[in-house]
Amino acid sequence: MFDNIISGFGLVFAVGPMLGIIAGVVIGIIFGAIPGISAIMAIAMILPMTFYLGPVVGITILLAVYKAGIYGGSISAILLNTPGAAASFLTAQDGHALTKAGKAGKALDMSLFASVSGEMLATIVLILIAAPFSLISLQAGPIEKVFLLLFAFTIIGTMAGESIPRGLLSCCLGMLFSMVGMSSITGASRFTFGYTELMGGFTFTPMLIGILVMPEVFNVIRRRKDPQSTLTIKRSPKPEDNRLSFKEYRAVFKTILKSSAIGTFVGALPGLGSSPAAFLAYSEAKRTAKKPEEYGKGSVEGIAAAESANNAVCGSSMIPMLTLSIPGDDVAALLMGAFLIHGLTPGPMIFFEHTQTIYAIFAGFLITDLVLLVIAKAGFKFFIKVASLRQYYIFPCVTAFAFTGAYTTGQNMDDIIVLIAFTIIGYGMRLVGLNPAVFIIGFILTPFFEQNLDQAMSIVGTDYFQLFTSPFSWVFILLSILSVVSSVRMRKKATKSLQGKTA
C-alpha cells in the first residue's frame, strides 16, 4: 500500500495535476462563497471541462472543487449569515455572531483550520480503509450485489428530504429515465417512442446540469425583488480578535478530532451526508463543552465542531462509492458519474485495475487540503468581496457556462434540447418537493442494478429460492427493512416534537 501511495504522490507532483488542484481550489472557494451556488452545482458546471483531460488531472480538479466548495460555503455563512446548505447553518449561528462582535477574522480562521483538519483526517481514513474493504466486498457475487443495491436505494430514498414517499419517488424517476434507450443486456429499445435520437439514452452531463443547476437560475429570477444582504464587516481594534492563535486552536483540537471522527463515520454510511454529521458533532461538542451556553452566540469551539464534521464527510463519503459503487451522498453520486466518464468504474476491482490512478487521486486529496489552507488564508480579502457580489451579476454567467458545457459534451445540438427538457423537469421537481440529487443517484445506480439482476437471474434460473440462500442477502434485506422502519419512526418523532412546540 505504501509503495502505491508514494507512486501516487509522484504522479500528482507534476505540472498538470498541481495546476489543476490550484485552479480547482480557487474555483471551489469562489463558487462556495457565492450565496445560492453550492458545491454540487460547481462540480456540475466544471465537469464538461474535464472531458479532455486525463483521469488523474480531471478527477483531481473536481475533488478540489468539491473540498474547496464545501469550505467556501462557510464564508457567506459567517459574513452574511446566509448558509448555502443545511450543514452550514450551525456555522452561521456562531460565525455571524462573532462577525457582529468584530471578530470575523477569528471566525474565518477557525472555519478554515477546522475544515482542513477534518478533511485531512477523513482522507487518511479513506486511504487506509478503502483498499482492504474492497477485498471483502470482492466476495459478493451478483445475487449479493442485487440486495446491496436495493439497500442503497432504500437508504437514499428514505434519507432524502422530509418526505419518505417523495424521496423514493425521486429515486424511481431517476431509475425510469436511466432505462430510456437501447438495453445493454437484450438490445431492445425502451421508452424511445420512435425517436432514434433516444436510442443511446440521455447524455449524462446535459441532464445533470439541467436537473441541478438551471432550476436555481429560475429561483433567483423568482426572488429578484427580494432585498439582498450587503456586506458590512465590523472590525475589532484588537489584533488578537482578527486572527486565531495557536493556543486557541490547540484548545479546541480535541473537539476537532472528535467531530472529525463523527463526520468520517457518518459520511461512510450511504445516504446520510454532511448535514447529520454537522448536527451530531455540534450536539456532542455542546454536551461535553465547559461553556455550553456560548454555543450559538459566538463560540469558536462550535464553529470547529460543525466545520470539521461537515468537511470530514468529503473524504469518507468516497469509501462506499469506491468499494461498493454506492454514493455516500449526492456529491459522491456526481463524482461517481465523473469516474465513469473518465473510464473508471467504481467498485472493488478499481483498486486492482487502476491502482496507480486511484492512489494518485488519494494523493491529490491530501495535497488539496494543503493548497486550500494556503490559498484560502492568502486570499481572504478577495473571497470576502466575491461573497458580496449581487446575484444578477452571477447567474447570467452560470447560464452561459451551463449551455456551453452541455454543448461541448458531444458537440451536438440535441444535448441543448436535453438540457432544456431537464431544466423544466428539475424545476417542476422542486415545485412539488421532489429531490433532484436523489434523482441523479437513481439514474446512475440503475444500470449496475439491472446488470447484476440479469446475472443473478441467469445463475438461479427458475429456482428463485437460491436468491435467498446467501447469508449476505438476508443481511441486506434486514438492513433495508430496518432503514425504512427507523426512518419512519424518526419522522414521526420529529412531527410530534414539532406539534408539541407549536401547541
Side-chain angles (χ1 to χ4, degrees), residues 171-394:
C171 187
C172 291
L173 280 175
M175 297 174 71
L176 178 64
F177 277 95
S178 72
M179 294 180 185
V180 173
M182 184 181 293
S183 170
S184 60
I185 298 170
T186 64
S189 60
R190 303 178 298 191
F191 306 114
T192 59
F193 304 102
Y195 290 95
T196 56
E197 292 83 358
L198 293 177
M199 291 297 290
F202 294 109
T203 309
F204 178 72
T205 303
M207 182 272 296
L208 178 71
I209 296 173
I211 285 287
L212 292 177
V213 178
M214 290 304 295
E216 293 299 327
V217 176
F218 283 94
N219 286 333
V220 171
I221 294 172
R222 286 181 61 194
R223 301 192 304 265
R224 64 188 182 277
K225 294 183 180 180
D226 294 347
Q228 286 187 306
S229 300
T230 56
L231 186 62
T232 54
I233 300 178
K234 174 185 174 183
R235 292 179 64 88
S236 171
K238 299 179 181 179
E240 60 270 19
D241 287 341
N242 297 302
R243 59 181 176 81
L244 185 77
S245 66
F246 178 73
K247 182 179 179 181
E248 288 173 312
Y249 176 78
R250 188 176 61 185
V252 299
F253 187 68
K254 287 184 179 179
T255 300
I256 290 175
L257 281 178
K258 183 168 59 175
S259 301
S260 299
I262 293 172
T264 302
F265 177 75
V266 172
L269 299 176
L272 293 182
S274 57
S275 297
F279 279 91
L280 281 173
Y282 190 87
S283 299
E284 175 60 21
K286 184 177 181 179
R287 186 184 67 84
T288 57
K290 294 180 179 178
K291 299 179 180 179
E293 67 278 359
E294 293 182 359
Y295 277 62
K297 300 176 183 178
S299 170
V300 173
E301 189 177 12
I303 296 174
E307 284 299 306
S308 55
N310 179 18
N311 287 270
V313 173
C314 296
S316 61
S317 64
M318 302 289 289
I319 296 174
M321 189 268 278
L322 288 175
T323 58
L324 301 173
S325 301
I326 299 175
D329 58 9
D330 49 1
V331 183
L334 189 53
L335 291 172
M336 182 174 174
F339 271 76
L340 294 170
I341 289 171
H342 283 279
L344 306 174
T345 303
M349 290 302 296
I350 197 171
F351 292 93
F352 304 96
E353 296 174 348
H354 306 282
T355 306
Q356 284 189 326
T357 303
I358 290 300
Y359 279 95
I361 291 170
F362 285 166
F365 252 60
L366 290 173
I367 295 171
T368 297
D369 294 328
L370 300 177
V371 173
L372 172 61
L373 181 63
V374 174
I375 291 178
K377 183 64 177 173
F380 266 154
K381 292 183 179 179
F382 170 73
F383 297 125
I384 288 171
K385 291 181 179 179
V386 168
S388 64
L389 286 174
R390 296 284 184 175
Q391 290 183 336
Y392 49 71
Y393 293 133
I394 300 164

Side-chain angles (χ1 to χ4, degrees), residues 12-32:
V12 171
F13 279 122
V15 176
M18 289 304 298
L19 288 177
I21 289 173
I22 293 170
V25 167
V26 173
I27 293 170
I29 297 176
I30 290 174
F31 276 60

Side-chain angles (χ1 to χ4, degrees), residues 130 133-134 137-138 140 145-146 148-153 156 268 270-271 317-329 332-337 339-340 344-351 353 440-449 451-452:
F133 191 75
S134 68
S137 60
L138 275 173
K145 288 180 181 177
V146 167
L148 171 62
L149 288 167
L150 283 173
F151 172 53
F153 284 128
I156 292 162
S317 64
M318 302 289 289
I319 296 174
M321 189 268 278
L322 288 175
T323 58
L324 301 173
S325 301
I326 299 175
D329 58 9
L334 189 53
L335 291 172
M336 182 174 174
F339 271 76
L340 294 170
L344 306 174
T345 303
M349 290 302 296
I350 197 171
F351 292 93
E353 296 174 348
I440 296 294
I441 297 174
F443 186 92
I444 292 174
L445 290 184
T446 296
F448 295 99
F449 177 72
Q451 180 182 3
N452 283 287

Side-chain angles (χ1 to χ4, degrees), residues 24-26 28-29 32 63-73 119 368 372:
V25 167
V26 173
I29 297 176
L63 291 172
V65 172
Y66 175 27
K67 285 194 168 189
I70 295 295
Y71 159 72
E119 286 176 357
T368 297
L372 172 61

